[in-house]
Amino acid sequence: MKITETIATSAFREQMRSTRSEMVKYNDQIATGKRVTKASDDSMAFTSGKGFEDLIRRNEQYQLNASNGLFQARTSQQALDDMQDVLISIKTLATSAANDNKNAGDRMDAAREVESMRDELIGLANVQFNDLYLFGGTNSDVPPFTLDDTELGGVADNSNETALKVSVGEGSTIETSVSGVELREGATGNGDLFEVIEQTIRAMENNDGSEISNSIDKLAGNLDHIVNLSTKIANGVNRMEFANEKIDSTLMDQNSELGRLTDADVVESMMNFQSAQTSYETVLAVQSKMMQTSLLNFLR
């Protein structure tokens, strides 16, 4: 009899442990909304889920890169568009100053205006986004351009030839700006941007109508170059917007598949929890009756 009671007690304890474990499992599923959180829950789903989580993290980083890149590129493009307006104004002043009816005083006044516009160009070329100088290349922590009479065009250059870029996918990068070198020394065949402006100022100061006329075509060439750079950045903006949409779609698919693998059906988990709880309470009730019967047999 004692052996039979021991076996029965052991069986009840095992059933209690099993039903209690089921209750804990389904309660966790209800609380977390997850069916699989560790390998022992479902080894294949757990392994596949981890793979999708890695892909999702990587694509979320690409998405963040594209978002930041869009802000950088749009800021760069706006600065380039503003530079176009300034260069148009300089060219207009030069065209007016080249007229034979302009005297030395008129041309000196024009020179001062062009100097002011040159300083405005430097300010635009030193545009920042999140403390990064966008036209500084990888030297983005210092202003790329500063006034310096000893340098070409009277403007010192702290930039380099490597434009800022962002990674928006495996092996896919997009430039968010242009380098300072490309900005001022682009392949225009018309000379350095700031050197051409300085030559225009000197020609005005020297009351040299012929030299002012010569500078107009060079200014036009540099203006065209800035327009081309703005167009280049606009193309990059379009590419980043497309990449962002593609990443969005990919993330939706990946999150959906991850959910299919690891998410719990909360309604089903609640039903399973209630069933396990009922089983647990039944085991407790049966064990209690057995203990009472055993006690009565002992007292007899």
Side-chain angles (χ1 to χ4, degrees):
M1 184 63 183
K2 287 184 178 179
I3 294 175
T4 302
E5 288 179 359
T6 299
I7 293 172
T9 299
S10 177
F12 275 117
R13 284 178 177 172
E14 176 58 27
Q15 194 171 1
M16 288 176 64
R17 185 203 64 78
S18 177
T19 53
R20 189 165 52 236
S21 177
E22 289 286 288
M23 288 170 62
V24 170
K25 179 177 76 172
Y26 293 125
N27 187 61
D28 286 345
Q29 289 183 10
I30 294 167
T32 65
K34 292 293 181 182
R35 180 182 67 86
V36 179
T37 58
K38 53 186 182 297
S40 59
D41 293 332
D42 183 333
S43 60
M44 291 185 64
F46 181 79
T47 301
S48 297
K50 283 298 180 185
F52 275 106
E53 285 175 355
D54 289 341
L55 288 173
I56 288 168
R57 278 194 295 270
R58 195 179 311 160
N59 280 319
E60 284 176 342
Q61 184 59 57
Y62 288 142
Q63 190 176 51
L64 180 61
N65 292 348
S67 179
N68 287 334
L70 278 169
F71 281 114
Q72 289 183 14
R74 286 168 178 155
T75 303
S76 298
Q77 185 183 6
Q78 184 61 57
L80 288 167
D81 290 345
D82 291 343
M83 288 182 196
Q84 294 173 40
D85 293 339
V86 175
L87 282 171
I88 289 171
S89 296
I90 292 175
K91 181 173 172 290
T92 299
L93 268 174
T95 301
S96 175
N99 289 335
D100 291 338
N101 62 346
K102 298 295 181 181
N103 58 38
D106 295 331
R107 288 170 174 166
M108 186 62 71
D109 290 340
R112 298 291 77 80
E113 288 189 60
V114 173
E115 275 187 344
S116 177
M117 292 177 187
R118 182 226 23 224
D119 294 347
E120 186 178 351
L121 275 178
I122 293 173
L124 291 169
N126 286 337
V127 66
Q128 288 180 278
F129 178 80
N130 281 351
D131 296 327
L132 295 177
Y133 288 95
L134 298 180
F135 296 117
T138 53
N139 291 341
S140 57
D141 58 339
V142 295
F145 302 108
T146 54
L147 285 171
D148 187 337
D149 291 340
T150 66
E151 297 290 338
L152 181 67
V155 179
D157 194 339
N158 298 309
S159 67
N160 58 34
E161 297 180 356
T162 306
L164 294 176
K165 61 183 69 176
V166 294
S167 176
V168 296
E170 195 68 33
S172 177
T173 59
I174 302 175
E175 291 184 355
T176 60
S177 185
V178 298
S179 70
V181 172
E182 186 176 11
L183 178 67
R184 67 180 295 173
E185 296 181 1
T188 63
N190 294 286
D192 176 89
L193 170 64
F194 292 112
E195 183 181 23
V196 170
I197 292 174
E198 184 181 45
Q199 289 171 352
T200 303
I201 293 170
R202 297 292 170 261
M204 290 174 173
E205 290 176 337
N206 294 330
N207 195 26
D208 189 335
S210 176
E211 192 60 32
I212 295 172
S213 295
N214 291 337
S215 72
I216 294 172
D217 287 341
K218 294 179 181 180
L219 288 168
N222 276 281
L223 173 58
D224 289 342
H225 176 59
I226 298 299
V227 171
N228 290 336
L229 293 181
S230 180
T231 301
K232 174 183 175 181
I233 297 302
N235 290 335
V237 167
N238 291 336
R239 286 181 60 200
M240 277 183 279
E241 288 176 341
F242 177 76
N244 219 359
E245 291 175 2
K246 185 177 179 181
I247 294 169
D248 263 339
S249 177
T250 300
L251 280 171
M252 286 179 64
D253 292 341
Q254 290 172 341
N255 277 301
S256 177
E257 185 61 16
L258 177 62
R260 187 189 68 80
L261 289 167
T262 64
D263 284 357
D265 183 329
V266 177
V267 173
E268 182 180 348
S269 296
M270 290 176 69
M271 293 174 62
N272 289 334
F273 175 82
Q274 291 170 356
S275 177
Q277 187 178 41
T278 300
S279 297
Y280 183 73
E281 291 170 349
T282 301
V283 172
L284 284 177
V286 172
Q287 187 182 40
S288 177
K289 287 183 179 181
M290 286 186 63
M291 289 178 65
Q292 289 175 5
T293 302
S294 297
L295 180 58
L296 287 174
N297 288 338
F298 174 77
L299 291 175
R300 287 174 186 170

